[in-house]
Amino acid sequence: PIPADLYQPTPEPTPEQRGAFQIQFNQRAPEHVFKSTEKYDIAQETFEMYVPRDYQQGAPYGVLVFIDAVDAGVAFPALRPVLDRRHLIWVGAKASGNEHPVARRMSLAMDAVYNISRRYSLDQDRVYVGGFSGGGRVASLLAPNHPGVFRGAIYMSGCNPPERIEKLAKARSRFVFLTGDKDFNREGTQKVYEDYVNRGFAYATYLQVPDLPHDLPDAEWFDRAITTLDQPLAATAGDLLRSAAATREKGTKLGEAWVLYRKAQFRAEGPDLVEKARSQAEAIEQLCRQRIDQARQTAEQGQDAKAVGVLLQLKKQFAPLAQTEIDRLLVEFRGTTKGKRSEGRETPPGQPAQ
């Protein structure tokens, strides 16, 4: 089961920040999520992030928590188009290289999930952990023991045999072992992969990149690894589309239908299903935009209280779609109902000027 309070149904509003940037958090993962004896001030830690260019609040994106071998954690530019295409957020602690204690590195990875889930909308079935070299070894200690948090993992050029295994990890979690022909960790990676197979893990895939030394894969092989993690979810896209259509027909929870359409789009493999889910999601977005514009026009006509009523109905019908914008307009229009807008209006004939 997912640890209590790990994911919030509605994330906190976040700045509309996309692309690569650094961020700091102010909360550590609580003990019921991950018990750690490591002492550090989370507010002093820096995390590298990459958020896809088309991220929308409320849409269920995946996330890859990356554990580096050096103090970097950055999403490498060559891999960013894959993150965009796969609708995947990247987050990696900066001071989490091989020189740091393993417990600290695991704690920072859990802190990343805990805080990202409070700022971004996530598909809980696409929360992954990955790492390179020594970072891959740390990821291999986390993922099999915390399947309620990480639904999959990519071990790049380094991994350890699992010390503790949860039954749910063997049955549900997906694992990719990625190494290169010339990687000095290749033989060890292959042995751990075979150990997973022998232990009965349902989803374990071994990828060996031709001529790759001990280094990160290129975009093509990174994309193949992400596709492998996502592949078991592709079969759910059709059911998600049907559920979205049924929800949409009711008319009262269009925001919920929109989330289901986006989830289906991000999971589907075939272009026809992807396009169908995308177009249906965009149709709901267009309807929501039209209603917001109508509320604006109502306010411009001086009917601020009526505009507030329209927005409250929109929020109920379309949340989490456009939630931040609707909340901002509610504050604006509620303020004008208290007389702020009247300052700019022309004095009606026959009445004294204010």
Side-chain angles (χ1 to χ4, degrees):
I2 297 171
D5 300 331
L6 177 59
Y7 299 108
Q8 289 191 157
T10 304
E12 298 171 358
T14 58
E16 297 297 314
Q17 197 165 7
R18 310 287 189 273
F21 57 92
Q22 293 183 343
I23 192 170
Q24 290 176 304
F25 303 125
N26 57 18
Q27 294 184 17
R28 291 194 61 179
E31 285 196 0
H32 65 257
V33 172
F34 183 70
K35 188 174 182 179
S36 175
T37 58
E38 289 300 293
K39 305 297 182 184
Y40 53 82
D41 183 358
I42 186 66
Q44 299 302 314
E45 301 294 333
T46 300
F47 291 77
E48 297 282 354
M49 287 197 63
Y50 182 82
V51 177
R53 301 291 180 178
D54 65 349
Y55 175 80
Q56 295 173 282
Q57 185 186 21
Y61 279 64
V63 61
L64 176 63
V65 180
F66 184 72
I67 305 173
D68 213 337
V70 296
D71 283 358
V74 67
F76 306 96
L79 305 183
R80 294 172 188 174
V82 178
L83 299 172
D84 286 334
R85 187 166 58 256
R86 296 293 176 181
H87 311 285
L88 201 64
I89 296 169
W90 173 294
V91 57
K94 194 171 182 65
S96 186
N98 291 346
E99 299 301 317
H100 298 280
V102 170
R104 168 188 166 87
R105 301 167 80 186
M106 290 196 294
S107 294
L108 287 168
M110 283 294 197
D111 291 338
V113 177
Y114 183 72
N115 284 279
I116 289 299
S117 70
R118 277 151 173 70
R119 289 162 173 79
Y120 296 90
S121 305
L122 302 181
D123 181 344
Q124 296 171 13
D125 290 320
R126 298 185 68 228
V127 176
Y128 303 138
V129 61
F132 171 69
S133 190
R137 295 183 184 277
V138 176
S140 69
L141 299 176
L142 269 175
N145 194 31
H146 296 281
V149 178
F150 300 111
R151 302 301 176 87
I154 308 175
Y155 309 144
M156 305 181 214
S157 299
C159 55
N160 288 355
E163 296 178 353
R164 294 181 59 191
I165 303 172
E166 293 288 334
K167 290 182 180 180
L168 194 59
K170 293 175 68 175
R172 183 181 68 183
S173 299
R174 290 94 66 194
F175 302 93
V176 173
F177 298 76
L178 194 153
T179 185
D181 285 349
K182 301 177 180 179
D183 181 11
F184 58 75
N185 276 338
R186 180 183 59 78
E187 184 176 343
T189 299
Q190 189 167 14
K191 286 183 178 179
V192 177
Y193 160 72
E194 293 170 353
D195 182 43
Y196 271 55
V197 173
N198 292 334
R199 288 172 182 256
F201 280 84
Y203 303 100
T205 303
Y206 178 81
L207 300 178
Q208 185 168 312
V209 184
D211 299 320
L212 181 70
H214 188 66
D215 201 353
L216 284 162
D218 62 15
E220 177 184 353
W221 282 90
F222 180 65
D223 186 46
R224 188 176 300 188
I226 299 299
T227 301
T228 301
L229 290 180
D230 285 344
Q231 196 279 327
L233 300 176
T236 67
D239 289 339
L240 287 169
L241 278 172
R242 287 186 286 273
S243 180
T247 303
R248 183 180 183 180
E249 286 180 3
K250 296 177 181 178
T252 56
K253 298 291 184 181
L254 293 180
E256 291 182 8
W258 174 76
V259 170
L260 291 170
Y261 279 126
R262 285 301 187 196
K263 184 177 288 188
Q265 175 194 346
F266 298 165
R267 292 185 178 190
E269 285 186 339
D272 292 341
L273 280 180
V274 171
E275 176 57 26
K276 183 177 181 180
R278 185 196 62 78
S279 63
Q280 295 295 331
E282 290 183 354
I284 293 176
E285 291 173 17
Q286 184 177 7
L287 178 60
C288 182
R289 170 51 49 196
Q290 291 173 352
R291 301 280 178 82
I292 290 175
D293 288 343
Q294 290 172 0
R296 288 180 181 273
Q297 293 171 4
T298 300
E300 289 173 358
Q301 295 168 1
Q303 303 177 63
D304 301 305
K306 184 178 179 180
V308 167
V310 172
L311 289 172
L312 288 173
Q313 181 60 35
L314 284 182
K315 185 173 181 178
K316 183 178 180 180
Q317 186 178 19
F318 286 94
L321 180 60
Q323 182 173 317
T324 299
E325 181 180 5
I326 291 173
D327 285 342
R328 180 178 57 79
L329 290 174
L330 280 170
V331 172
E332 177 184 340
F333 296 159
R334 279 169 170 161
T336 58
T337 61
K338 297 177 180 179
K340 294 181 180 179
R341 187 183 294 272
S342 64
E343 296 176 3
R345 292 188 182 141
E346 185 177 353
T347 302
Q351 293 187 19
Q354 300 295 318

